[in-house]
Amino acid sequence: MIGTESKKQEILKAYQFRHACKSFDSNKKISDEDFHFILETGRLSPSSFGFEPWKFVVIQDASLRDKLKPVSGGAQGQLPTASHVVVILARKKEGLRHDSDHVIKMMKDIHHMPEEVVQGFSDFYKSFVETELEDNDRLIFEWASKQTYIALGNMMTTAAQIGIDSCPIEGFDKKQVTAILQNEGIINGDDFGVACMVAFGYRQEDPKRPKTRQNLDEIVEWR
């Protein structure tokens, strides 16, 4: 039990440490080992139907960051200074059809479903998309985008646990960012759209005030 209590305190300490870092110490870089560890926790994150509707694009090229900066108002401090910037892509309708290459690959090659299971699972998934998501392009993309936030949260928490700062970023023009990534050949066709960004690095200074949150009894109701 002592080990369990120690682990719980370690995890809570990481949550207290984590804050939305607006700019980073550009002279300090995350090691390849540490950043691959962060990415691995994103890869291992859960997803609906196990279809992993995401792609993590690590933007290290300074000229590409410069192109993104004018259309990313919420990343003005992060893009020039972060050790690593990740653009998280979410699959769109074409990439999440029940008969798409990706979905078939996930069922057969990743989850190794027997052929008889594939057909039943595919039919169930097709029905879900048609009924719950109305077979609608926007609803399907939003459904996929919401799942990327699970991976996003896991990567930021992992980073905090090893003393690395982060900042989730939604403040950008999706159409213009998408156009830039298309021009760079990062997004091809209609399979992916931009869900969010996240920057990682080391803070220049500690936050000016301690973390503030509502009390637990204000946000939790027991029935």
Side-chain angles (χ1 to χ4, degrees), residues 139-162:
L139 290 178
I140 292 169
F141 178 67
E142 289 178 350
W143 172 67
S145 294
K146 285 190 287 187
Q147 295 174 61
T148 69
Y149 281 71
I150 302 172
L152 168 69
N154 286 343
M155 288 192 290
M156 290 194 300
T157 299
T158 296
Q161 288 183 301
I162 57 174

Side-chain angles (χ1 to χ4, degrees), residues 38-221:
I38 292 169
L39 289 173
E40 182 68 358
T41 63
R43 185 184 76 89
L44 292 172
S45 297
S47 60
S48 185
F49 291 92
F51 286 160
E52 302 170 34
W54 48 55
K55 184 175 182 180
F56 310 121
V57 182
V58 186
I59 307 293
Q60 297 302 84
D61 184 270
S63 63
L64 179 51
R65 290 195 192 184
D66 287 342
K67 292 176 184 176
L68 291 170
K69 187 178 176 184
V71 296
S72 305
Q76 295 302 291
Q78 296 92 335
L79 279 168
T81 62
S83 172
H84 292 68
V85 174
V86 183
V87 176
I88 304 182
L89 306 181
R91 288 190 178 271
K92 299 169 76 174
K93 181 178 177 180
E94 286 306 307
L96 286 173
R97 292 174 53 87
H98 73 284
D99 55 356
S100 69
D101 290 343
H102 173 71
V103 168
I104 292 172
K105 168 194 166 186
M106 294 304 299
M107 291 188 294
K108 292 185 176 182
D109 299 339
I110 304 301
H111 299 306
H112 306 293
M113 295 180 183
E115 196 61 44
E116 63 274 15
V117 174
V118 167
Q119 187 58 54
F121 197 82
S122 179
D123 290 344
F124 177 73
Y125 173 65
K126 181 174 182 289
S127 176
F128 167 80
V129 171
E130 291 174 344
T131 56
E132 299 300 320
L133 303 177
E134 302 174 10
D135 206 21
N136 178 277
D137 292 28
R138 179 170 181 174
L139 290 178
I140 292 169
F141 178 67
E142 289 178 350
W143 172 67
S145 294
K146 285 190 287 187
Q147 295 174 61
T148 69
Y149 281 71
I150 302 172
L152 168 69
N154 286 343
M155 288 192 290
M156 290 194 300
T157 299
T158 296
Q161 288 183 301
I162 57 174
I164 293 172
D165 290 291
S166 63
C167 185
I169 301 162
E170 279 192 322
F172 55 88
D173 186 314
K174 283 193 176 183
K175 287 185 178 179
Q176 294 194 66
V177 168
T178 298
I180 291 169
L181 297 182
Q182 287 174 333
N183 289 337
E184 295 290 327
I186 294 170
I187 294 179
N188 297 298
D190 295 322
D191 279 356
F192 286 100
V194 181
C196 60
M197 299 181 189
V198 57
F200 296 94
Y202 295 95
R203 65 186 67 180
Q204 288 182 305
E205 57 185 26
D206 288 330
K208 292 181 171 57
R209 61 176 186 172
K211 186 182 290 288
T212 54
R213 292 292 188 272
Q214 296 179 78
N215 292 327
L216 197 63
D217 59 9
E218 293 181 279
I219 61 170
V220 177
E221 181 174 337

